[in-house]
Amino acid sequence: MTDALVISNIVLWVAVLALLVAVIALSRQIGILYERIAPMGALMMDTGPKVGEAAPVFDLPSLGGGHVAVGAPAARATLLFFLSPTCPVCKKLLPVLQSIHAAESRTLDLVFASDGEMPEHAEFRQRAGLGAFPYVLSAELGMSWRISKLPYAVLIDERGIVRGKGLVNSREQIESLLTARDLGLVSVQDYMDRKIAKEIA
């Protein structure tokens, strides 16, 4: 009986040590993968106004009243977010956008854009708690940016110049637009390409 207990304890300790070695090995592999996989920025489509060009200017009525000069020079940069009430990813990103705006409110305005029927959007705007933000409806605005998929974000600086744009599905992709602007780059992918080119050279 005693021999059986000793043997079972030895087997258990061997199993625990084997698991510990496996966890350490997996942790190392995760670290290697993290270094190899580049950060994924907003997926930039090669259509519409290009980064570095002047944004098209639209003077549009907001659902909350008043008008919004989208793309015009302003006191702060503008994050223009194209969404739809039926887009689940758009809805998921709304708290993220509000959080980013709260952190960047001194230098960034947030404008929501879509097209469609006003009653549907007015109800969605109220339900989503977007009353504090301009919300414009304009098919022409979407067409000028060649928006084919949602959610899509555009960063326009104070001078009305496009600083970043792309299809966004996560906080990281939205923040990549701001990061690229701060680094003076077209996109995060552009930064990674430059970094890889330097390492190769």
Side-chain angles (χ1 to χ4, degrees):
M1 185 72 176
T2 307
D3 290 344
L5 283 173
V6 170
I7 291 168
S8 66
N9 274 333
I10 291 170
V11 170
L12 283 173
W13 275 109
V14 169
V16 167
L17 290 173
L19 284 172
L20 183 62
V21 169
V23 167
I24 292 169
L26 286 172
S27 299
R28 185 173 180 278
Q29 288 302 314
I30 290 169
I32 291 168
L33 283 173
Y34 183 78
E35 287 179 1
R36 287 184 183 170
I37 297 173
M40 181 65 182
L43 180 60
M44 195 164 60
M45 308 293 190
D46 196 20
T47 57
K50 298 188 183 307
V51 173
E53 294 181 352
V57 178
F58 288 83
D59 186 32
L60 301 168
S62 173
L63 290 185
H67 278 247
V68 182
V70 179
R76 291 180 290 274
T78 300
L79 182 61
L80 180 61
F81 186 75
F82 291 90
L83 76 167
S84 166
T86 58
C87 167
V89 180
C90 301
K91 293 174 186 175
K92 181 191 82 171
L93 290 177
L94 293 179
V96 171
L97 287 160
Q98 290 170 312
S99 169
I100 290 172
H101 178 260
E104 304 275 344
S105 59
R106 286 190 292 179
T107 60
L108 186 71
D109 287 330
L110 177 59
V111 177
F112 293 97
S114 192
D115 63 2
E117 298 299 320
M118 187 179 291
E120 179 189 12
H121 285 277
E123 182 187 345
F124 170 70
R125 178 174 174 263
Q126 184 177 10
R127 209 171 350 105
L130 303 178
F133 303 98
Y135 193 120
V136 298
L137 297 179
S138 171
E140 292 79 13
L141 179 63
M143 286 189 286
S144 72
W145 286 100
R146 309 279 176 87
I147 306 299
S148 59
K149 293 182 181 179
L150 297 173
Y152 197 92
V154 178
L155 182 64
I156 304 166
D157 72 10
E158 300 87 344
R159 296 178 297 132
I161 304 299
V162 181
R163 288 298 166 208
K165 63 176 186 170
L167 196 63
V168 291
N169 293 310
S170 66
R171 182 185 193 100
E172 291 75 18
Q173 290 180 328
I174 295 170
E175 288 179 340
S176 75
L177 298 174
L178 302 172
T179 302
R181 174 200 62 178
D182 295 342
L183 294 174
L185 301 168
V186 172
S187 66
V188 170
Q189 281 81 9
D190 180 42
Y191 168 75
M192 292 309 298
D193 290 343
R194 290 187 190 186
K195 185 178 178 183
I196 291 167
K198 280 183 183 177
E199 288 174 358
I200 292 171

